[in-house]
Amino acid sequence: MARIDPSITPAAETAAAAGDLQAMSVDFFVSFVQVFGLPKSIGQIYGLLFVSAEPLPMDDIVGRLGISKGSASQGLALLKSLGAVTSRSVPADRREHFEADLNVSRIVTHFFENRLQPRLEHGDRRLEEMMELARAAKRETKGGGATAVLTRIQALQKWQKRGRNLLPMVVRWLKR
Amino acid sequence: MARIDPSITPAAETAAAAGDLQAMSVDFFVSFVQVFGLPKSIGQIYGLLFVSAEPLPMDDIVGRLGISKGSASQGLALLKSLGAVTSRSVPADRREHFEADLNVSRIVTHFFENRLQPRLEHGDRRLEEMMELARAAKRETKGGGATAVLTRIQALQKWQKRGRNLLPMVVRWLKR
DNA sequence: CCGGTCGTTCAAATCAAAATGAACAAACAG
DNA sequence: CTGTTTGTTCATTTTGATTTGAACGACCGG
């Protein structure tokens, strides 16, 4: 059952076909996670686990991908927190073994809820404040461009609202 | 009509209120564009133009934001290409003057069509290739995990398709 | 034409994010 | 207990992206 020798750094493997598949998967997921601004290592690890027939321990991951123990540890921690990877225990082996969970929506939802939502909310508050200042400016100055700015901010608020409505729809659609 | 002295670097301005509004706008748009992975300067420039009563020439932008001529030039070029900023000519002035266009959908659509779509398409091709290799692997090896991997790739393809269906829907929804 | 302003380009400097790896803690085996 | 293996943390290094600024070309007014 011994896996490929992890000391051989990159991907010098048994069957060329298997190696290619792994490389492609890694590649695919690296570019996938990068869309969401996640570090490359996340994609590498997930890509490797995705095509692996059985769960892998951390040193296999380190060995096969040629990344550091630190990266692997941190990457796996994030992936677990996303629910994208689960650890499974293997009979006569003390080490934690990892397995890819195929739930794309978890990753995407995490992105929405952690990157987008907070920004949208923070944006809301700032828009309110801007509105306030703009109104004050309008009162104080005579004609000026103050009114024009006010109108713009209002338009922005409408967009903001649109965005906030759209997001949950998208999330819901992805979940089923 | 003379604007604020551009030599005074950051934002030491006439009315504190006006200054705050500008700062808030810059801030707002900086964090907005960063969601889409665009450089900060883009957000700064757009934020400034957004609250400016009249179109501004490049040196005003450089002066008020305290950024370099190079950044301003490049940033404005991108913003123009996005259709987020338009240049307008001002009577007795040779310089190009810039004005913010309030079309959020342009920016977002650009992001979708330029960052997401290409990746999705590239992803499609890679998934096809992976599928091919996995099928080959299945034929060659006896039982193995080859079948399991094949199933996973198929599931991924389904997700990929979902994504490709969702995007145009979102874009359409944003456009009106 | 000619001097000067305006704007772009690009190599080099700067900055922020990610990866590394050594030191450390926890879990276990004997 | 004690020595070993496994996994985490975090200061340092690396890497990639953005910003800078100087050099350049285009354009205009006189």
Side-chain angles (χ1 to χ4, degrees), chain A residues 102-174:
Chain A
L102 184 54
N103 51 8
V104 179
S105 59
R106 271 301 231 329
I107 297 176
V108 178
T109 302
H110 173 267
F111 168 76
F112 281 156
E113 288 172 356
N114 288 268
R115 308 253 146 169
L116 258 42
Q117 290 277 22
R119 303 241 190 187
L120 281 181
E121 278 156 33
H122 187 206
D124 274 352
R125 260 176 283 126
R126 258 179 307 190
L127 272 186
E128 260 323 322
E129 292 164 359
M130 280 169 68
M131 206 52 182
E132 210 43 66
L133 281 182
R135 268 195 282 262
K138 191 188 175 187
R139 263 179 260 119
E140 288 165 24
T141 65
K142 354 275 163 208
T147 309
V149 172
L150 226 158
T151 312
R152 284 181 164 197
I153 299 178
Q154 279 169 333
L156 240 205
Q157 282 182 316
K158 243 190 56 201
W159 276 104
Q160 181 92 349
K161 187 146 58 156
R162 259 201 212 202
R164 263 208 326 294
N165 289 342
L166 178 57
L167 258 198
M169 284 171 50
V170 171
V171 171
R172 228 176 298 124
W173 194 84
L174 282 176

Side-chain angles (χ1 to χ4, degrees), chain B residues 116-143:
Chain B
L116 258 42
Q117 289 277 20
R119 303 240 191 189
L120 281 180
E121 278 156 32
H122 187 207
D124 273 353
R125 259 176 284 125
R126 259 179 306 190
L127 272 186
E128 260 324 322
E129 291 164 358
M130 281 170 67
M131 206 53 181
E132 209 43 67
L133 280 183
R135 268 195 281 261
K138 190 188 176 186
R139 262 178 261 119
E140 287 164 26
T141 65
K142 354 270 163 213

Side-chain angles (χ1 to χ4, degrees), chain A:
Chain A
M1 297 307 154
R3 218 87 328 280
I4 290 90
D5 180 4
S7 65
I8 290 164
T9 26
E13 308 228 322
T14 38
D20 285 345
L21 188 52
Q22 171 183 318
M24 271 181 196
S25 177
V26 167
D27 217 52
F28 176 86
F29 284 104
V30 164
S31 103
F32 177 78
V33 300
Q34 281 181 338
V35 170
F36 300 101
L38 296 175
K40 195 168 76 145
S41 58
I42 302 294
Q44 295 178 277
I45 297 171
Y46 190 84
L48 171 56
L49 293 178
F50 186 82
V51 290
S52 161
E54 340 75 20
L56 299 180
M58 212 175 78
D59 37 348
D60 266 24
I61 297 174
V62 166
R64 292 227 219 169
L65 295 174
I67 65 179
S68 69
K69 205 152 58 104
S71 274
S73 172
Q74 292 176 183
L76 285 167
L78 175 59
L79 284 167
K80 273 191 285 185
S81 86
L82 294 187
V85 150
T86 335
S87 50
R88 176 180 295 293
S89 76
V90 162
D93 199 332
R94 193 141 74 70
R95 301 169 300 173
E96 217 177 340
H97 286 61
F98 301 94
E99 187 176 55
D101 263 20
L102 184 54
N103 51 8
V104 179
S105 59
R106 271 301 231 329
I107 297 176
V108 178
T109 302
H110 173 267
F111 168 76
F112 281 156
E113 288 172 356
N114 288 268
R115 308 253 146 169
L116 258 42
Q117 290 277 22
R119 303 241 190 187
L120 281 181
E121 278 156 33
H122 187 206
D124 274 352
R125 260 176 283 126
R126 258 179 307 190
L127 272 186
E128 260 323 322
E129 292 164 359
M130 280 169 68
M131 206 52 182
E132 210 43 66
L133 281 182
R135 268 195 282 262
K138 191 188 175 187
R139 263 179 260 119
E140 288 165 24
T141 65
K142 354 275 163 208
T147 309
V149 172
L150 226 158
T151 312
R152 284 181 164 197
I153 299 178
Q154 279 169 333
L156 240 205
Q157 282 182 316
K158 243 190 56 201
W159 276 104
Q160 181 92 349
K161 187 146 58 156
R162 259 201 212 202
R164 263 208 326 294
N165 289 342
L166 178 57
L167 258 198
M169 284 171 50
V170 171
V171 171
R172 228 176 298 124
W173 194 84
L174 282 176
K175 278 187 178 155
R176 190 109 318 243

Side-chain angles (χ1 to χ4, degrees), chain B residues 9 12 25 29 31 76 99 134 153-154 173:
Chain B
T9 26
S25 176
F29 284 104
S31 102
L76 284 167
E99 186 176 54
I153 299 177
Q154 279 170 332
W173 194 83

